[in-house]
Amino acid sequence: MSIEDIKKIGIVGAGQMGNGIAHISALAGFDVYMMDLNESAVAAALETIDANMTRQVRKEKISAVDKDAALKRISTGTGYDGFADCDFAIEAATEDEQIKREILKELCAHIKPDTIIASNTSSISITRLGAKTDRPGKFVGMHFMNPVPAMELVEMIRGIATDENTFKTISALAVKLGKIPVSAEDFPAFIVNRILLPMINEAVYTLYEGVGSVLAIDTAMKLGTHHPMGPLELADFIGLDTCLSVMNVLHDGLADTKYRPCPLLVKYVEAGWLGRKTGRGFYDYSADQPVPTR
Ligand code: NAD
């Protein structure tokens, strides 16, 4: 399979990453099948894509004609039949190894023998996920950043069994989607999250130990290090469940106590306070302006 053979892209999971990948794939001229557990998740994803493309039209980044053509290229569903004619499939579902394993098993039963599969996982071993498929050579890590339409980077991760053609083809696909691929080895959380998530976890410890309030921590990091977002604001944006999963993967995978997830992060996730996507995390998003919760 080479980049010219890829005409249709299938996406499992229509959350913030899945709908972003559908968005840029359709704009780049690919047919897209986007799938999630239920109709409401798929409908919400389509609404998000429409709203995000409308914003791009308003900013004159794309034309209204581009937007309409792209939306027409996206088909959706809640089953695996739509993957049958996909040349490439990417898994972008919840960051949970068991869920991803079950998805990969189903996916392999529904796709063509030469279809390449990628996972957008933030932290889970590509080698281990690939081993659960019927095609470890045609399995690769393709880690987009959030929000997908705006962020330039894609981390490309080779599992131990990933063949060179697969890696080259999907790296070329990243370029065709307007991104810049960077190669990362298959170690827990790869490059960006290996560095970013311990910083976020440390910000939660800083809050937990009372060193500063939510606002003090975010303001200090924005003004003191010129980060565009504070670490707690960023954690809410990523999703606190995803942040916790990545810390658990680092902690388990590298067996170093420096990666111990902060108990306050665990508590927020247990409370269902997952950040922006649930309306509450370190900030409360129910009013027009986010309000710090501590
Ligand atoms: P999300 O919670 O917004 O979306 C996950 C989606 O997966 C949900 O819509 C859920 O219904 C769906 N899903 C769960 N089980 C499914 C199944 N069995 N079949 C089909 N769909 C299923 O999460 P997200 O932020 O989009 O993250 C998705 C993946 O992308 C994770 O692996 C995450 O680590 C990774 N990622 C996230 C970010 C980020 O900043 N949020 C950045 C890069 C990569």
Side-chain angles (χ1 to χ4, degrees):
M1 167 98 46
S2 71
I3 180 71
E4 288 76 30
D5 301 319
I6 299 181
K7 309 274 184 242
K8 183 169 179 184
I9 296 178
I11 303 163
V12 186
Q16 38 185 359
M17 298 307 290
N19 76 56
I21 298 167
H23 176 135
I24 60 164
S25 302
L27 274 180
F30 294 97
D31 289 324
V32 172
Y33 175 63
M34 180 175 67
M35 177 269 206
D36 206 299
L37 288 173
N38 52 54
E39 282 299 342
S40 62
V42 166
L46 274 178
E47 260 176 47
T48 301
I49 294 172
D50 194 322
N52 289 342
M53 285 189 186
T54 301
R55 193 173 324 116
Q56 286 180 304
V57 172
R58 210 168 41 237
K59 290 186 176 168
E60 297 182 357
K61 292 197 167 153
I62 60 171
S63 71
V65 174
D66 294 336
K67 177 193 154 187
D68 290 345
L71 287 178
K72 282 201 188 86
R73 284 188 206 108
I74 304 177
S75 59
T76 59
T78 56
Y80 284 86
D81 289 347
F83 291 103
D85 58 347
C86 289
D87 311 297
F88 170 65
I90 179 160
E91 173 282 309
T94 310
E95 186 75 346
D96 176 310
E97 188 158 347
Q98 195 50 38
I99 291 177
K100 291 189 189 293
R101 282 181 182 201
E102 280 160 24
I103 288 172
L104 291 172
K105 195 169 155 220
E106 275 297 314
L107 193 60
C108 287
H110 287 82
I111 52 178
K112 298 182 288 186
D114 60 343
T115 296
I116 295 177
I117 310 176
S119 174
N120 184 50
T121 177
S122 302
S123 60
I124 301 169
S125 163
I126 296 302
T127 299
R128 217 160 54 228
L129 288 176
K132 293 293 154 200
T133 70
D134 59 0
R135 62 194 78 197
K138 293 188 172 62
F139 188 82
V140 67
M142 188 184 202
H143 182 217
F144 287 90
M145 305 293 125
N146 186 19
V148 180
M151 301 292 278
E152 301 90 342
L153 179 70
V154 172
E155 278 182 307
M156 292 296 311
I157 305 109
R158 249 189 216 96
I160 198 164
T162 307
D163 63 41
E164 202 46 35
N165 178 57
T166 297
F167 191 80
K168 279 197 181 134
T169 302
I170 304 309
S171 299
L173 176 64
V175 173
K176 222 169 162 180
L177 294 174
K179 304 299 176 195
I180 298 168
V182 165
S183 169
E185 293 307 316
D186 190 18
F187 279 84
F190 320 126
I191 296 174
V192 171
N193 286 333
R194 169 84 177 255
I195 299 170
L196 180 65
L197 266 298
M199 186 198 73
I200 287 176
N201 194 48
E202 201 58 32
V204 185
Y205 269 115
T206 310
L207 179 68
Y208 181 60
E209 291 171 10
V211 182
S213 65
V214 168
L215 204 56
I217 292 165
D218 278 350
T219 306
M221 288 303 285
K222 276 194 283 196
L223 301 184
T225 65
H226 271 194
H227 287 191
M229 277 178 146
L232 299 173
E233 192 186 353
L234 181 57
D236 275 1
F237 184 69
I238 293 170
L240 301 191
D241 52 340
T242 300
C243 291
L244 178 60
S245 301
V246 176
M247 286 312 297
N248 280 329
V249 167
L250 282 168
H251 195 224
D252 297 346
L254 298 167
D256 189 328
T257 51
K258 76 178 177 185
Y259 299 114
R260 188 170 71 102
C262 178
L264 188 62
L265 179 62
V266 176
K267 212 171 253 182
Y268 269 53
V269 172
E270 284 172 352
W273 297 347
L274 307 183
R276 271 184 185 273
K277 62 184 170 188
T278 58
R280 187 189 168 114
F282 293 111
Y283 292 82
D284 183 327
Y285 297 92
S286 52
D288 280 351
Q289 289 298 318
V291 179
T293 55
R294 274 167 186 265

